[in-house]
């Protein structure tokens, strides 16, 4: 195949597909907040922005949800235990709290794992102190210490992590002191997280707390064998990939094909020792910027490992990300291998993609998901020629929308100040800049930016409506107005959307599907979207009170 001009394609934003003639987003945004009391309307209006890709306008984000609006957000504990730590296979993770909190975080996110022989997998278990009224009144520290001991005796894990739920913070149990005493007693790594559900304004606070805890207690705590480090210079960590529906398996397969060694993933399909040794990598690539950017920054400051933003969601995006990694290592044979792998993988899915594209092109998509997928999945819709008419995050910060250029101007409010910000300095022994300043500049001038993320808005169509922390009411009005072919969202609103005659693809746990990462994953997603948007089922759904089909656009006759 002809050598593509990779440099110019490495950092340039993707051009969004143009939108058809629609009600202007500005008018619609005003209408979405019209039913609220004036104070609420004024607040919410700042979360709705009409997109200007070249110069994104400021969006209000990462602030408290107005009570009663029905948000899709989760809590701090969900972000720490459920999201970042949860997928690690061989840490016994004890939830200190009422049993409901434990049950909620038990296996619902579909973070899969296939640990190597000899490595434990505790993901199927649910460890809880089952806090009840007695502990709320008299304190739960003794029960926690007993639970840690019991877990150790049963499983003999390398490490035990303890997660605080809301009541723990309210009654003042010191999980850290209990963890320290247990570590001493048992001779293993035991560490606690003050990730009470009410901390911060969403699960985003929990991500930050989890990053801090992993960084302080695990990263850099083991050294890999020197021979292993010397064997392959292309050693990377994939940060912010949680193996939902098997995505990480697909990324692992691709990296292996390219000859890139994966030291550790944060934290899909990963075990303790891999994270403990992750400081030996020569590059960090960041998938989900929102949940793990702290780790990338801290590892760069302490160990000298640069980071790159990548996205393995979407066939074109995957190829671009692999090219970025090869460009970073400045190695010609590696670049050639990456090109060969991309060509082969793209060729394998292109016929199917074209056939599906012919059936889907021009249909509209809307996405309201978490803190990175609402951006990443637009790439898959772009592959199919489907414009994104509106999108938003639940809990992302302004940098995830507008790009990291706004970081310096972010307002630090009381809720963010509540979350510890670690001061990280170069490690006297282990700091080793993998690339010096001159090399990083050389890469930047060749089109490869390290340490940057341009955010979702720069890659969305002009005039698209960006909505932060969308409410049920706003979502309903938007669906009525745009009648999109598909909405990507979560379980809290999936069935409300489908009752309006519009298919909803759940992008948190993938509705039993996946993987959707990489090339094979992209093809899986194309098939799924084809099945959803071209299904006839909606025209047969006739609510008895209306006598009309739910999906008027698809109505027979
Ligand atoms: Fe990152 Fe995630 Fe997401 Fe997220 Fe989540 Fe998630 Fe998500 Mo659900 S870490 S921000 S806190 S990509 S669990 S795997 S799907 S909301 S968009």
């Amino acid at each position: 195949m002809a050598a593509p001009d990779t440099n110019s394609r490495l950092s340039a934003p993707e051009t969004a597909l143009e939108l058809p003639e629609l009600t202007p987003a500005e008018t619609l945004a005003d209408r979405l907040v019209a039913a609220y009391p004036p104070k609420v309307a004024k607040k919410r209006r700042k979360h709705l922005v009409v997109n200007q890709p070249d110069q994104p306008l400021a969006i209000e984000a990462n602030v408290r949800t107005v009570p009663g609006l029905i948000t899709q957000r989760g809590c701090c504990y969900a972000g720490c235990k459920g999201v970042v730590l949860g997928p690690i296979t061989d840490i016994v993770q004890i939830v200190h709290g009422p049993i409901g909190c434990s049950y909620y975080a038990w296996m619902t996110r579909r973070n899969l794992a296939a640990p190597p022989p000899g490595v434990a997998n505790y993901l199927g278990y649910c460890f809880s102190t089952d806090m009840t009224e007695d502990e709320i009144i008299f304190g739960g520290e003794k029960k926690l210490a007993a639970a840690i001991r019991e877990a150790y005796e049963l499983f003999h894990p390398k490490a035990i992590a303890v997660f605080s739920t809301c009541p723990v913070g309210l009654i003042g149990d010191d999980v850290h002191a209990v963890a320290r005493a247990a570590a001493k007693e048992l001779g293993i790594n035991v560490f606690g997280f003050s990730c009470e559900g009410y901390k911060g304004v969403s699960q985003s606070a929990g991500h930050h707390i989890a990053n801090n805890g992993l960084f302080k207690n695990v990263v850099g705590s083991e050294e890999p064998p020197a021979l292993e480090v010397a064997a392959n210079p292309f050693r990377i960590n994939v940060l912010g990939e949680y193996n939902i529906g098997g995505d990480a398996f697909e990324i692992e397969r691709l990296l292996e094909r390219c000859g890139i060694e994966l030291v550790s993933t944060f934290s899909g399909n990963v075990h303790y020792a891999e994270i403990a040794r992750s400081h030996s990598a020569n590059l960090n690539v960041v998938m989900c910027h929102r949940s793990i950017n702290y780790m990338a920054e801290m590892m760069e400051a302490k160990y000298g490992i640069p980071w790159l933003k990548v996205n393995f969601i979407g066939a074109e995006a995957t190829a671009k990300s692999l090219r970025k990694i090869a460009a970073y290592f400045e190695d010609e044979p590696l670049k050639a291998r990456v090109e060969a792998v991309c060509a082969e993988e793209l060729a394998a899915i292109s016929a199917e993609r074209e056939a599906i594209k012919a059936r889907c092109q021009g249909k509209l998509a809307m996405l309201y998901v978490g803190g990175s997928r609402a951006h990443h999945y637009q790439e898959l819709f772009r592959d199919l020629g489907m414009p994104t008419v509106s999108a938003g995050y639940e809990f992302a910060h302004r940098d995830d929308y507008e790009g990291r250029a706004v970081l310096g101007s972010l307002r630090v409010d009381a809720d963010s100040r509540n979350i510890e910000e670690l001061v990280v300095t170069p490690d006297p022994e282990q700091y080793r800049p993998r690339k010096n300043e001159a090399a990083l500049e050389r890469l930047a001038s060749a089109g490869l930016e390290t340490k940057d993320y341009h955010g979702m808005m720069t890659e969305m169509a002009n005039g698209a409506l960006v909505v932060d922390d969308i409410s049920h009411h706003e979502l309903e009005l938007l669906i009525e107005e745009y009648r999109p072919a598909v909405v990507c969202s979560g379980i809290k609103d999936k069935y409300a959307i489908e009752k309006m005659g519009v298919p909803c693809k759940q992008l948190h746990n993938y509705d039993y599907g996946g993987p959707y990462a990489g090339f094979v994953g992209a093809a899986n997603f194309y098939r799924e979207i084809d099945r959803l948007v071209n299904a006839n089922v909606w025209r047969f759904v006739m609510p008895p009170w209306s006598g009309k089909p739910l999906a008027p656009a698809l109505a027979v006759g």
Side-chain angles (χ1 to χ4, degrees), residues 112 238 241-255 262 265 267-269 515 517:
L112 311 181
V238 176
E241 162 51 54
Y242 302 94
N243 203 21
I244 312 302
D247 279 352
F249 295 149
E250 193 45 30
I251 296 168
E252 287 164 16
R253 186 185 69 81
L254 282 174
L255 293 176
L262 180 63
T265 301
S267 53
N269 190 31

Side-chain angles (χ1 to χ4, degrees), residues 142-172:
K142 280 195 192 122
K143 198 170 189 188
L144 174 60
I148 295 173
R149 218 169 282 132
E150 187 185 343
Y152 179 75
E153 280 161 11
L154 283 171
F155 296 98
H156 295 280
K158 289 178 94 169
I160 296 179
V162 176
F163 301 89
S164 308
T165 57
C166 294
V168 172
L170 297 176
I171 65 173

Side-chain angles (χ1 to χ4, degrees), residues 83 109 203 207 242 244 288 291 369-373 395 507-508:
V83 173
R109 185 158 164 260
Q203 55 265 64
H207 301 149
Y242 302 94
I244 312 302
C288 169
S291 64
V369 201
S372 79
R373 294 193 167 169
F395 52 78
L507 279 192
H508 296 262

